[in-house]
Amino acid sequence: MKGGGALELKVVIGDAIQIEVDALIVNLFEGITQPGGATGAVDRALGGAITELIAASEIKGRSGENTLIHTLGRIPAKRVIVAGLGKQSQLSVDRIRRITAEACRYARGKGSRRLATIVHGAGAGGIEPDIAAQAIAEGSILGLYTFRRHITKEPDNGRVDELLIVERDESRLSQLERGCSAGKVIAEAVNFARDMINEPANFMTPGDMAETAMKIAAEYGLQYTVLEREQMREMGMGALLGVAQGSGQAPKFIVLQYRGDDASQRVVGLVGKGITFDSGGISIKPSENMGEMKGDMAGGATVMAVLLALGQLKPKINVTALIPATENLPSGMALKPGDVVRAMNGKTIEIVSTDAEGRLILADALSYAVKLGLSPIVDVATLTGACHVALGDVATGGFTNNEELVKRVVGSAEEAGERLWQMPMYEEYREQNKSDVADIKNTGGRYGGAITAAQFLSEFVGDSPWVHLDIAGTSYASKEKGYVVKGATGATVRTLIGLVLSLASGGG
Ligand code: BES
Ligand code: MN
Ligand code: ZN
């Protein structure tokens, strides 16, 4: 299930200058002229090579800077990479993730397959060893991610097989191992989502999504069920069925459950948009970049990835994930502008654009979440181009009917180093969704499009506390940066894992 052989991570107690690897990653804060700690030890073993490069201004310690030093047999490691940590006052957990990712990719580019790193941030940086180790695990696994399933030739830039996290102080071992294994589970969950999202639509149909869900359920102790078209009909999911009717692929309504707290009645709901390809339907999209719409199931992949992680982290909480999955295609059978459909909660919807399909399938999924009594409910969707326009590819849009809940989600996003910006839900916007022929229409016009889409969704969540995350801008990266690589980002997977863990441990 994981892309091309997962990276091996290990914590080893020992001296960095004794370790035998292809590349040893050490670090330096900006402005330091005489490195201390493990970097200092390596410097001395190399006869002061690092100090000399600092004096010559070749190493400045800026964040993102990587300098290669060949050791020529002076220590067992073949190469040393000095990674800039930036200014000490600006050190953050997310910066450790980023510099680890960049240093690992740099090492990979130099043909190094076995790497070791000192624990960035846990020395002079003052960050707890478990937190630092987790950031290193996340940064390396996320930053080295590639999607090569459909490329038959070997990569030019090689591959990294192993990363050792080296620490001298044995008393830190269990903390480091705990952080490392949590980071591994979380980052591999993100990469699982990335794999699903990057997969071409002919390899990731609704049926393929359901099969993937079934496999992870079997492997990680989750409960899996799927509703077929017939059951969707019985349940009155007219909006989802409307979107699905133009496609030759059978729609699937995937349900994954994680049960970690038998004593509690509460079940948290995670809902993810699962459009495996969005052509726009009869309101067809321009052909340029239409291929990117293979990633329109990112929300569904995200919530599946969260449950995969929960199955391993085993927090004391219950979570149910709902993923309505279908293609959105034009055909003689397809939904048409002007049609009216009826969602599971009884509300009727006028179809203005068949390209506003995400909110239709979510209308039924959210209605079902309410019927199941899930609370709180968080949905994740590549919902609107308008959100991409508003926030760029930097921040996910957050929308809510519950300020307390959204604060929690924003807090989890901050911890994950994921940008999330709350957007307004002023009632004045509701006007734009009014229809002359049905209870509501499925587009509210050009202006405030991300908000009117969120307002539309709010019609289907009843009184349940709910947050909607629009990842249209953040789910896909056009260039690599830090631990984000080109293509699917897996945005909000880590935020939502953090949210569930915080709900499990902190009430709320
Ligand atoms: N899947 C798209 C939104 C999208 C656009 C995601 C770009 C990622 C990148 C969604 O189904 C859609 O087509 N939305 C329309 C809504 C409009 C018709 C009201 C849009 O944003 O143009
Ligand atoms: Mn669309
Ligand atoms: Zn879509």
Side-chain angles (χ1 to χ4, degrees):
M1 214 139 309
K2 278 153 213 150
L7 174 72
E8 279 286 330
L9 277 176
K10 233 179 279 161
V11 178
V12 295
I13 298 300
D15 234 322
I17 56 171
Q18 308 277 333
I19 208 120
E20 200 183 324
V21 286
D22 295 326
L24 167 66
I25 302 165
V26 297
N27 64 47
L28 189 78
F29 280 117
E30 192 173 337
I32 301 286
T33 52
Q34 196 60 62
T39 305
V42 170
D43 183 42
R44 285 189 295 279
L46 296 180
I50 298 175
T51 318
E52 201 162 302
L53 286 162
I54 297 168
S57 290
E58 277 186 59
I59 300 181
K60 297 190 177 73
R62 292 204 179 126
S63 173
E65 172 195 274
N66 285 298
T67 308
L68 185 72
I69 301 171
H70 289 275
T71 60
L72 307 174
R74 282 178 294 193
I75 59 173
K78 289 201 193 82
R79 307 167 184 84
V80 164
I81 292 169
V82 184
L85 276 181
K87 295 205 171 71
Q88 184 163 353
S89 61
Q90 286 170 8
L91 184 69
S92 64
V93 175
D94 204 49
R95 178 165 286 179
I96 296 173
R97 289 187 194 102
R98 291 198 306 261
I99 74 123
T100 301
E102 283 169 2
C104 287
R105 275 205 304 274
Y106 181 78
R108 181 176 65 189
K110 302 292 177 192
S112 303
R113 295 181 72 137
R114 295 192 64 234
L115 313 182
T117 181
I118 63 170
V119 188
H120 309 305
I127 290 173
E128 288 297 313
D130 55 336
I131 305 284
Q134 182 172 337
I136 288 168
E138 291 177 358
S140 56
I141 294 170
L142 295 173
L144 288 168
Y145 172 82
T146 56
F147 183 73
R148 302 188 50 86
R149 222 172 254 182
H150 303 285
I151 301 176
T152 54
K153 81 173 197 8
E154 284 295 302
D156 297 336
N157 60 352
R159 50 171 293 177
V160 176
D161 299 321
E162 189 176 32
L163 173 66
L164 308 176
I165 299 174
V166 201
E167 167 64 48
R168 278 181 61 157
D169 182 353
E170 195 174 350
S171 72
R172 290 179 157 192
L173 179 63
S174 69
Q175 264 200 76
L176 289 170
E177 280 183 334
R178 194 173 347 108
C180 179
S181 64
K184 187 171 156 74
V185 167
I186 292 166
E188 282 177 356
V190 176
N191 285 351
F192 164 85
R194 288 172 169 181
D195 273 347
M196 283 185 75
I197 300 163
N198 283 326
E199 202 63 83
N202 60 328
F203 286 89
M204 192 48 67
T205 62
D208 293 321
M209 280 190 88
E211 207 175 293
T212 307
M214 191 175 74
K215 280 190 194 143
I216 65 166
E219 199 170 338
Y220 299 100
L222 310 170
Q223 290 159 43
Y224 162 83
T225 36
V226 66
L227 309 180
E228 304 290 344
R229 207 191 296 262
E230 199 42 53
Q231 288 150 299
M232 297 176 203
R233 205 168 281 137
E234 279 161 22
M235 299 180 71
M237 295 183 169
L240 169 57
L241 285 167
V243 175
Q245 76 193 29
S247 163
Q249 293 289 339
K252 305 281 174 181
F253 193 108
I254 302 162
V255 183
L256 270 178
Q257 292 173 272
Y258 167 76
R259 288 290 169 278
D261 187 4
D262 287 336
S264 169
Q265 297 291 307
R266 183 177 73 168
V267 184
V268 175
L270 297 178
V271 178
K273 173 179 173 180
I275 295 289
T276 61
F277 187 72
D278 181 12
S279 70
I282 295 296
S283 312
I284 199 159
K285 290 180 180 292
S287 61
E288 199 174 292
N289 300 325
M290 197 199 269
E292 282 179 17
M293 285 299 122
K294 69 178 183 181
D296 210 19
M297 31 57 73
T302 298
V303 303
M304 278 172 59
V306 173
L307 265 76
L308 169 114
L310 297 180
Q312 297 166 81
L313 299 170
K314 299 185 170 47
K316 201 165 176 289
I317 193 166
N318 304 315
V319 182
T320 293
L322 304 178
I323 302 116
T326 175
E327 294 183 326
N328 183 26
L329 289 178
S331 81
M333 298 286 285
L335 197 64
K336 303 170 292 298
D339 286 358
V340 171
V341 296
R342 187 174 190 273
M344 188 181 163
N345 73 346
K347 290 196 183 175
T348 59
I349 306 164
E350 177 194 359
I351 308 302
V352 174
S353 169
T354 63
D355 198 10
E357 84 298 338
R359 67 197 75 183
L360 295 174
I361 69 169
L362 289 173
D364 281 329
L366 292 168
S367 301
Y368 189 44
V370 170
K371 193 176 160 210
L372 292 173
L374 308 183
S375 179
I377 299 170
V378 180
D379 81 71
V380 198
T382 46
L383 201 65
T384 67
C387 193
H388 195 173
V389 170
L391 300 173
D393 59 10
V394 174
T396 294
F399 306 79
T400 193
N401 62 2
N402 186 299
E403 291 303 321
E404 211 177 304
L405 178 62
V406 79
K407 282 202 184 87
R408 254 197 132 92
V409 182
V410 168
S412 302
E414 265 161 24
E415 271 187 35
E418 297 193 296
R419 299 290 194 191
L420 170 54
W421 189 255
Q422 188 186 353
M423 302 280 277
M425 287 285 266
Y426 301 128
E427 62 159 46
E428 287 89 331
Y429 291 104
R430 268 176 204 278
E431 199 66 31
Q432 290 170 243
N433 285 335
K434 285 196 175 144
S435 165
D436 294 329
V437 301
D439 296 336
I440 191 168
K441 60 183 183 182
N442 81 329
T443 72
R446 230 165 101 74
Y447 302 110
I451 300 167
T452 52
Q455 298 276 23
F456 179 97
L457 297 182
S458 74
E459 299 288 330
F460 301 88
V461 296
D463 299 324
S464 308
W466 157 78
V467 164
H468 157 59
L469 301 176
D470 193 333
I471 56 170
T474 48
S475 73
Y476 182 88
S478 50
K479 57 179 192 304
E480 71 180 25
K481 188 166 195 270
Y483 52 81
V484 171
V485 297
K486 221 169 140 173
T489 60
T492 72
V493 171
R494 288 180 307 112
T495 294
L496 292 176
I497 294 171
L499 174 73
V500 173
L501 296 181
S502 103
L503 289 170
S505 63

